[in-house]
Amino acid sequence: MATITIDKVSRWFGNVVAVNDISMAIGPGITGLLGPNGAGKSTLIHMMSGFLAPSTGTVTLDGAPIWRNQQVYRQIGLVPERESMYDYLTGWEFVLANAELHGLADPGAAARRALGLVEMEYAQDRKTGTYSKGMKQRVKMASALVHDPAVLLLDEPFNGMDPRQRLQLMELLRRFGADGRTVLFSSHILEEVEQLARHIEVVVAGRHAASGDFRKIRRLMTDRPHRYLVRSSDDRRLAAALIADGSTAGIEVDERERALRIQAVNFQGFTTLLPRVARQAGIRLYTVAPADESLESVFSYLVSA
Amino acid sequence: MNPTVARLTLRGLLGRRRGALLLVVPALLLLVSALASGSSGNEHDLTVKILGQLGLGTLVPILGLVVGTGVIATEIDDGSIVYLLAKPLPRWQIVTTKLAVAIGTTWVFAAVPTLLAGLLLYGTKDGVALGYTVATLIAGAAYSALFLLLGVVTRHAVVAGLGYALVWESLVGNFVAGARTLSVQQWGRSVAEAVAGDAAIGADVSFGVAVPLLLVVTVAATVLASVKLAGLTLAGEE
């Protein structure tokens, strides 16, 4: 059982604040670190893996500082985002070298076991430079698992993987989580995170936006006010009919765009209400477009919440 | 020394195109020596010119730069150093192992050809060949340590190294006598002069000053590289 504790951590680069006063504890099981690109996820993972010092605050593993403490690597396995990994070595040589560097008693056996876990024995004699993205990711996993670590940190592990590779990796991570290991992975895709992680930490613009069960995060994301742009055969009559219902919070008639800007309170309610009202009033709908569905806007809503 | 680090470093250094690049230096030195040994003229002057200016003055620092940065800067650049650093290994062990590989490579590709070139040009007379060989061994070690340090502290190690070797040692050193006191090349010459007992080699730094400076630079660069590597930051890629 191992816990990484991030306590009041900030990190800035010159004038840019990458991580702003974040506190969180990552315990056994799978945790998803979710946020848009550039939110500070990698900065956090770099600090958790000892490759970056926090500007203020502390990052510890079971109470021991991680920065400038090589002994933590006996417990941490790191799967970095970058792909370069001595491409002149074969998969076997690469994983074996990692086992040797850990000073394991039987590096050969450890390398065999790790390659078996990620099901890469079939390609272990090929140079890693010839691997596909998914294969590289799995060999990187094997190198991180070779010393049977209690903590596994993965920076954007699903990037560039095809759906089948994605499922395989998810299955593997699920097994580690079920073993009681502490698994943390970052991603900018909500669906990916909620498929895998029971616990989610959301980071937006360097700040800790939300934390908790994936259902809670999902609710936060779907229950926020949604904005739609609607064009119809009779905008004003449609507006009048819609405002009578509780799931609509506000409607603006945009004369220049010749459209309605509608703010819905309840996502589910509004999407069933709109076509029903239009049909009853005999109004044709030409355009129904979500005005703020980008992930960034969803995240920024979470920050302000 | 860590055998795994040594193995990875050596394969990275000698594999691919860099291995071929390393061969250029000894080939050039031997080729020039072979051509020159056929010509008439003052053999002694010629030998001092080729081994001193071409060898110790130009090829040794360039080789030291390619090797010293090659053993670590490439891995830091492409991020694969993470696999060495995310291990419970003392950082000084990584640095000393890589330094040993760099020094060994420099010796094979610079000191051995220097000895051969010296024998070809001037035989064993006056100990000139031996003097330059010892100088190359020692200067090669100092350059390796210095350029390895540059590889750890800056992402522009090759540029900084070229700046030191070409601008400081060669250009500034040519015009400003004081600059020669702080020059690995001059310390090397001083060693060559002392070993060969030959004033014609023309060292500007006395042996008693050169040896301590060589030691200090090599040891200090190694210690500093270890400290810097322990605090290596992977930053700002987002």
Side-chain angles (χ1 to χ4, degrees), chain A residues 228-254 258-263 270-289:
Chain A
Y228 293 92
L229 183 91
V230 176
R231 290 195 181 88
S232 68
S233 55
D234 190 340
D235 286 347
R236 285 186 184 274
R237 211 150 55 81
L238 181 65
L242 283 173
I243 199 72
D245 191 279
S247 55
T248 311
I251 301 178
E252 180 196 340
V253 182
D254 190 331
R258 295 178 162 274
L260 293 175
R261 295 187 181 280
I262 302 172
Q263 180 144 359
F270 180 75
T271 47
T272 51
L273 170 79
L274 178 65
R276 203 181 63 228
V277 167
R279 196 173 57 237
Q280 278 167 6
I283 298 169
R284 289 184 71 105
L285 294 173
Y286 299 135
T287 309
V288 180

Side-chain angles (χ1 to χ4, degrees), chain B residues 153-218:
Chain B
V153 296
T154 163
R155 296 281 157 111
H156 311 287
V158 174
V159 175
L162 277 178
Y164 168 76
L166 296 183
V167 177
W168 178 261
E169 286 200 348
S170 299
L171 199 68
V172 179
N174 258 340
F175 299 110
V176 186
R180 278 172 237 160
T181 316
L182 293 179
S183 151
V184 175
Q185 181 194 334
Q186 292 298 335
W187 303 338
R189 272 195 202 192
S190 162
V191 171
E193 194 175 82
V195 172
D198 184 347
I201 285 172
D204 289 315
V205 186
S206 77
F207 188 65
V209 174
V211 171
L213 282 175
L214 278 164
L215 275 175
V216 167
V217 163
T218 309

Side-chain angles (χ1 to χ4, degrees), chain A residues 2-17:
Chain A
T3 301
I4 291 184
T5 309
I6 298 173
D7 189 26
K8 300 194 190 74
V9 164
S10 296
R11 172 71 212 201
W12 49 84
F13 300 99
N15 286 331
V16 181
V17 180

Side-chain angles (χ1 to χ4, degrees), chain B residues 101-183:
Chain B
V101 171
I103 291 176
T105 310
T106 314
W107 285 359
V108 170
F109 287 93
V112 173
T114 298
L115 181 64
L116 292 177
L119 292 175
L120 195 68
L121 285 163
Y122 202 55
T124 52
K125 281 175 277 178
D126 307 341
V128 172
L130 184 67
Y132 275 111
T133 305
V134 174
T136 305
L137 291 175
I138 292 175
Y143 279 127
S144 298
L146 200 59
F147 293 138
L148 190 150
L149 170 67
L150 282 183
V152 177
V153 296
T154 163
R155 296 281 157 111
H156 311 287
V158 174
V159 175
L162 277 178
Y164 168 76
L166 296 183
V167 177
W168 178 261
E169 286 200 348
S170 299
L171 199 68
V172 179
N174 258 340
F175 299 110
V176 186
R180 278 172 237 160
T181 316
L182 293 179
S183 151

Side-chain angles (χ1 to χ4, degrees), chain B residues 80-102:
Chain B
S80 51
I81 192 84
V82 167
Y83 296 100
L84 293 189
L85 294 180
K87 301 289 183 294
L89 278 181
R91 278 22 182 169
W92 62 262
Q93 209 179 69
I94 297 176
V95 168
T96 50
T97 304
K98 283 181 171 292
L99 180 61
V101 171

Side-chain angles (χ1 to χ4, degrees), chain A residues 127-140:
Chain A
K127 295 233 156 92
T128 60
T130 67
Y131 284 178
S132 72
K133 205 154 176 140
M135 293 165 84
K136 280 190 181 172
Q137 200 65 35
R138 276 194 280 162
V139 164
K140 274 155 67 180

